[in-house]
Amino acid sequence: MKNNRIHHILLSFLPLFVVSCITTSCNKALEVTPKYILNEEKAFRNDSVAALQLAGIYSEFASSGTLSYGIHLDLSFITDDMEPLSYQAVPGSAGYVLYNYQLRPIDAPTNDYWSNFYRYIYYANSIISGVDASTGMSAAYKKQCKGEALAWRAFFYYYLAAFYGPLPYVTDGNYAVTSHFTRTGTDSILNYCMTDLQLADSLVSEDYPTTGRFHFNRAAVNALLARVALTKGDYQEAINAASIVLNDNRYALATLNDMFNASSSETIMQLWNQYNYSSVGQVSNDPGTTYGVTHDSNGSLYNAFDENDARRDRFIKQEDDGTGTLIFVNNKYLNNGYDDSAPAEYLVMFKLDEVLLNRAEAYARLQQNEKALDDANLLRQRAGVDNLPSSLNGQALTDAIIEERRKELCFEWADRWISLKRNKSINTVLGSFKPGIWNEKYMLFPIPLSDIKNSSLIQNQGY
């Protein structure tokens, strides 16, 4: 056990050096193979060195503010869940621009998702090809390393497709070729993601490769596969993948207070950091927060909860903004980095409540109503509210589960945005919540202008 712990600490800290190499190597969105693994023979000469290349993705993603808290909180501004406060509410600020959909290709706050996610995809592609070519790695770790890289590639393509629609699908590191790629349809991108994840499922171990739940194992791969399959509309595959996780007795629903704890039984995969708290919690709980939760209006998140729903007071905090005005802020992560007595929490990528909701929605769309209600009601019971009516069926049942997602998964991984699009209710919901502001064209973000100029890509309509 001691050796395992040392191995984990090594993999957790050494990537900080790797990141210093990574972050200076890529300035284009569709970039060349990162410099730190240009020499694949050396980078993948044995298991230990190969592990460092893979750890670079985990480390940089976990330490990036834009990509760790941005995808949770910034992208809640574009839904009906959050509103900008303080300087974020000033015209021209990032929060104001997102909330009012004033995205310009030249400087949109969303541009980082395109450029950074493609950069990570190049890292994953380079790892996959490096592992395949390696003659010094063990057979077992070649499988695990490749499986994790495939899962990461699927993760980033999934979000790129959700944000930008059709886009270039790149599986190698040759920028001279890929800079001329045309856009691949969203359904095809999701199919590629599912193919990667199905292959990863056959490669990664049931167990985590290090101490803690910090890497893709089979359960984490299937949690992501269920997410992708649900978005794709392959409901049986979503049920199958979710059931693999839900049938694994290592995972169980935790209390609402413990759901993000470092040792939570609900966690399927988390991102380690040396500070023992999530940057999402740090930003959202800062007394000077600029991230407000929508409230006291028709369709607001705070009003969506029943009065006796324990999630409302657990996930949303009311506080004085210093001027006597009551504001509502995100309280999902309890450890904000300021209180040494707070429990250790890590940024959670996949946890059991989402998997239950993925399967519940898939069941509902296949008209397996009783099973759908059973899964959704487990979360309502934890929250202390009555079960959903047993008479619910059809679209009404699907809508009710989408509403459960909104409450259960608020401020997590842009879930509200993606769920509204998947349910084809985004125009109705956001058109009602932001009348005169919302326009259907905003369902896709603009592609950064620099990448339009340096490639053969055509800008998304309306920008």
Side-chain angles (χ1 to χ4, degrees):
M1 182 63 71
K2 183 177 180 182
N3 287 338
N4 270 345
R5 182 61 180 163
I6 292 171
H7 177 62
H8 167 61
I9 292 173
L10 181 66
L11 292 186
S12 300
F13 281 94
L14 280 181
L16 297 178
F17 167 75
V18 177
V19 169
S20 69
C21 301
I22 295 174
T23 54
T24 59
S25 65
C26 301
N27 295 317
K28 305 183 184 73
L30 305 181
E31 185 56 276
V32 294
T33 303
K35 292 178 181 178
Y36 82 104
I37 50 178
L38 276 178
N39 190 325
E40 289 185 349
E41 183 179 354
K42 290 183 178 181
F44 298 93
R45 65 181 180 271
N46 57 44
D47 291 359
S48 297
V49 178
L52 294 179
Q53 318 315 324
L54 180 63
I57 298 179
Y58 288 91
S59 181
E60 188 180 358
F61 187 64
S63 63
S64 169
T66 300
L67 302 180
S68 59
Y69 66 75
I71 199 169
H72 306 276
L73 304 183
D74 288 348
L75 294 190
S76 290
F77 284 145
I78 64 175
T79 71
D80 47 357
D81 284 354
M82 274 193 166
E83 57 191 2
L85 300 175
S86 187
Y87 66 82
Q88 289 272 37
V90 175
S93 66
Y96 185 93
V97 166
L98 287 164
Y99 187 83
N100 292 283
Y101 312 108
Q102 296 178 355
L103 303 175
R104 303 188 308 169
I106 190 171
D107 59 1
T110 54
N111 282 359
D112 280 351
Y113 297 106
W114 176 277
S115 58
N116 283 295
F117 282 17
Y118 265 114
R119 183 155 49 91
Y120 293 138
I121 286 168
Y122 270 89
Y123 302 161
N125 289 343
S126 298
I127 290 168
I128 292 165
S129 62
V131 168
D132 284 342
S134 174
T135 58
M137 294 174 63
S138 68
Y141 192 64
K142 286 186 76 168
K143 290 174 62 178
Q144 179 69 29
C145 191
K146 181 176 180 177
E148 292 186 56
L150 285 166
W152 273 118
R153 184 168 74 182
F155 176 87
F156 293 119
Y157 270 126
Y158 170 76
Y159 278 99
L160 282 171
F163 296 161
Y164 298 97
L167 47 88
Y169 186 73
V170 182
T171 57
D172 61 33
N174 186 348
Y175 178 73
V177 174
T178 57
S179 63
H180 300 293
F181 274 22
T182 56
R183 299 173 74 171
T184 299
T186 302
D187 279 352
S188 295
I189 294 291
L190 293 177
N191 280 334
Y192 289 136
C193 292
M194 290 175 63
T195 298
D196 276 354
L197 291 167
Q198 288 160 349
L199 177 55
D201 176 59
S202 71
L203 295 174
V204 300
S205 171
E206 295 275 357
D207 298 322
Y208 294 92
T210 61
T211 302
R213 299 177 177 183
F214 301 116
H215 285 253
F216 276 101
N217 70 336
R218 189 170 182 237
V221 166
N222 278 281
L224 178 54
L225 178 55
R227 184 185 295 181
V228 175
L230 183 65
T231 302
K232 173 67 172 61
D234 191 338
Y235 303 125
Q236 189 57 55
E237 181 67 11
I239 291 168
N240 294 344
S243 295
I244 288 173
V245 182
L246 294 168
N247 292 336
D248 190 326
N249 60 16
R250 289 175 296 178
Y251 310 105
L253 289 178
T255 66
L256 291 177
N257 281 341
D258 293 337
M259 61 196 311
F260 294 102
N261 282 7
S263 58
S264 173
S265 61
E266 190 162 344
T267 295
I268 300 164
M269 182 175 159
Q270 56 200 172
L271 294 175
W272 182 90
N273 72 71
Q274 60 184 311
Y275 303 111
N276 297 327
Y277 64 84
S278 164
S279 57
V280 178
Q282 182 187 32
V283 171
S284 60
N285 284 287
D286 187 322
T289 184
T290 57
Y291 296 93
V293 177
T294 57
H295 63 283
D296 295 340
S297 62
N298 184 38
S300 70
L301 175 59
Y302 186 82
N303 290 358
F305 291 92
D306 295 336
E307 283 290 330
N308 60 339
D309 192 326
R311 293 173 295 190
R312 186 185 69 175
D313 294 331
R314 166 60 184 82
F315 297 161
I316 302 172
K317 181 170 63 174
Q318 301 180 42
E319 58 184 33
D320 192 310
D321 70 351
T323 68
T325 300
L326 188 66
I327 59 174
F328 295 71
V329 298
N330 159 31
N331 193 46
K332 205 94 186 256
Y333 284 83
L334 296 175
N335 190 331
N336 60 14
Y338 303 120
D339 182 0
D340 291 339
S341 66
E345 292 181 329
Y346 296 121
L347 181 62
V348 175
M349 287 193 64
F350 309 108
K351 64 187 194 305
L352 211 60
D353 57 353
E354 186 213 343
V355 179
L356 276 167
L357 287 164
N358 289 340
R359 191 170 73 172
E361 185 179 333
Y363 276 141
R365 292 186 185 276
L366 294 179
Q367 300 181 3
Q368 298 181 43
N369 300 340
E370 185 175 349
K371 291 180 178 179
L373 288 165
D374 286 345
D375 281 350
N377 285 334
L378 285 175
L379 300 175
R380 290 182 64 85
Q381 290 160 14
R382 175 171 70 171
V385 290
D386 294 337
N387 288 344
L388 292 171
S390 59
S391 59
L392 282 176
N393 61 76
Q395 187 61 43
L397 176 56
T398 300
D399 290 344
I401 293 171
I402 293 288
E403 191 64 14
E404 284 305 302
R405 293 187 75 97
R406 183 189 188 188
K407 292 176 283 190
E408 184 73 26
L409 303 178
C410 56
F411 326 128
E412 294 185 39
W413 298 108
D415 190 83
R416 177 63 172 169
W417 177 254
I418 295 171
S419 294
L420 288 174
K421 292 174 69 173
R422 181 177 67 251
N423 201 34
K424 296 180 173 58
S425 57
I426 191 168
N427 286 323
T428 300
V429 170
L430 295 185
S432 174
F433 190 75
K434 298 181 180 182
I437 299 176
W438 172 257
N439 186 296
E440 184 176 359
K441 71 180 182 182
Y442 299 137
M443 283 195 288
L444 297 178
F445 301 159
I447 297 173
L449 182 61
S450 59
D451 290 282
I452 293 293
K453 290 181 175 180
N454 295 326
S455 70
S456 57
L457 296 175
I458 298 174
Q459 183 60 267
N460 280 330
Q461 188 173 359
Y463 298 103

